[in-house]
C-alpha cells in the first residue's frame, strides 16, 4: 500500500482576500482528500497545524513515505498583490518523480481550473519542503489567495481540488482511483 505525506500549509498568517487563512483552507483540502485516498488504498500520514515546517519535514522523513505532497496557496509580491492567477506546481529540479507528479497535477487541474493556460509546473532548488524531504515530493500552489477570482475559486472548489490531487496521486502510484462511498 503506497504511503503519502500530506502537508497542508502551516501558514496561518497568510490571509485569504475573502476571509480565512492559507493554513485553514489548505487543511480543508487535505481533509477532503482523505476519503479519496483511503478509497484508493493510499495510506496517509499528515502534518498538523501546530507543527513547524521543520517538524513536518522530520515527520515525513521518519515515516517511510513514498511521496510527500505539500498543499499551499500563493500570493503575489506586495507591489502587485492580487494581479496574478493560476496554479503553480513545484518540484525539485533534479527529481524525475517530483516532475512526474507536478505534470500529473497540472494535467488534472486543467479539468477544473477556469483557465488551464495559466497552470504552470516549475522546477526549483529553493523550497525547503522539496529540498529537505527524503521522499519524492511536489508542492502545489493551488491558486492565488490574494486574487479575488482565484480565492473564490479555491473556496468554492475544495472537493474538486481534493479529488484531482487524490486522482493525481493514484495515477502516480499506478493504482486505480476510487471514489469514496459516502
Amino acid at each position: 500500500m503506497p504511503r503519502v505525506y500530506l502537508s497542508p500549509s502551516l501558514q496561518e498568517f497568510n490571509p485569504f482576500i475573502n476571509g480565512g487563512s492559507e493554513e485553514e483552507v489548505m487543511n480543508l483540502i487535505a481533509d477532503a482528500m482523505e476519503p479519496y485516498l483511503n478509497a484508493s488504498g493510499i495510506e496517509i500520514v499528515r502534518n498538523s497545524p501546530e507543527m513547524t515546517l521543520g517538524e513536518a519535514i522530520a515527520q515525513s522523513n521518519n515515516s517511510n513515505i513514498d511521496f510527500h505532497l505539500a498543499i499551499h496557496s500563493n500570493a503575489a509580491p506586495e507591489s502587485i498583490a492580487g494581479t496574478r492567477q493560476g496554479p503553480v506546481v513545484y518540484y525539485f529540479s533534479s527529481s524525475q518523480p517530483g516532475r512526474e507528479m507536478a505534470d500529473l497535477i497540472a494535467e488534472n487541474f486543467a479539468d477544473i481550473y477556469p483557465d488551464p493556460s495559466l497552470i504552470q509546473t516549475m522546477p526549483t532548488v529553493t523550497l525547503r519542503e522539496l529540498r529537505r524531504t527524503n521522499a519524492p515530493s511536489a508542492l502545489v500552489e493551488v491558486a492565488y489567495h490574494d486574487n479575488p477570482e482565484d480565492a473564490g475559486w479555491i473556496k468554492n472548489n475544495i472537493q474538486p481540488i481534493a479529488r484531482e490531487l487524490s486522482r493525481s496521486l493514484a495515477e502516480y502510484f499506478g493504482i486505480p482511483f476510487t471514489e469514496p462511498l459516502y
Side-chain angles (χ1 to χ4, degrees):
M1 174 182 286
R3 287 172 54 102
V4 64
Y5 190 88
L6 292 184
S7 185
S9 175
L10 299 167
Q11 299 174 21
E12 65 190 60
F13 52 83
N14 276 348
F16 263 63
I17 195 166
N18 56 356
S21 71
E22 178 182 359
E23 178 183 71
E24 175 190 348
V25 178
M26 298 306 106
N27 270 283
L28 292 174
I29 292 170
D31 292 345
M33 289 176 71
E34 289 192 20
Y36 290 106
L37 296 174
N38 288 329
S40 297
I42 298 172
E43 190 176 339
I44 304 157
V45 180
R46 182 173 164 180
N47 71 10
S48 65
E50 300 79 33
M51 298 174 107
T52 65
L53 182 58
E55 290 170 336
I57 291 168
Q59 182 185 38
S60 175
N61 288 343
N62 292 320
S63 297
N64 195 26
I65 298 302
D66 298 304
F67 200 89
H68 180 105
L69 181 62
I71 308 163
H72 289 254
S73 57
N74 216 340
E78 192 174 329
S79 62
I80 58 168
T83 62
R84 293 191 178 162
Q85 286 185 276
V88 182
V89 191
Y90 292 96
Y91 61 93
F92 194 73
S93 63
S94 62
S95 173
Q96 187 57 38
R99 182 179 184 157
E100 180 184 334
M101 177 60 82
D103 289 342
L104 285 168
I105 292 170
E107 180 182 314
N108 290 333
F109 266 33
D111 291 342
I112 60 169
Y113 187 73
D115 185 351
S117 71
L118 296 177
I119 300 169
Q120 303 175 64
T121 59
M122 297 186 71
T124 184
V125 295
T126 60
L127 294 174
R128 192 163 57 144
E129 203 160 2
L130 302 179
R131 190 177 75 233
R132 294 204 175 149
T133 50
N134 294 338
S137 57
L139 185 149
V140 58
E141 298 277 9
V142 173
Y144 282 81
H145 61 249
D146 65 344
N147 177 288
E149 290 177 44
D150 267 10
W153 176 79
I154 294 169
K155 285 187 166 184
N156 292 323
N157 288 280
I158 299 291
Q159 201 67 35
I161 292 166
R163 183 185 189 281
E164 295 311 316
L165 289 174
S166 300
R167 182 166 68 118
S168 299
L169 284 162
E171 289 175 4
Y172 172 84
F173 290 124
I175 61 176
F177 175 68
T178 305
E179 297 280 348
L181 301 173
Y182 289 103

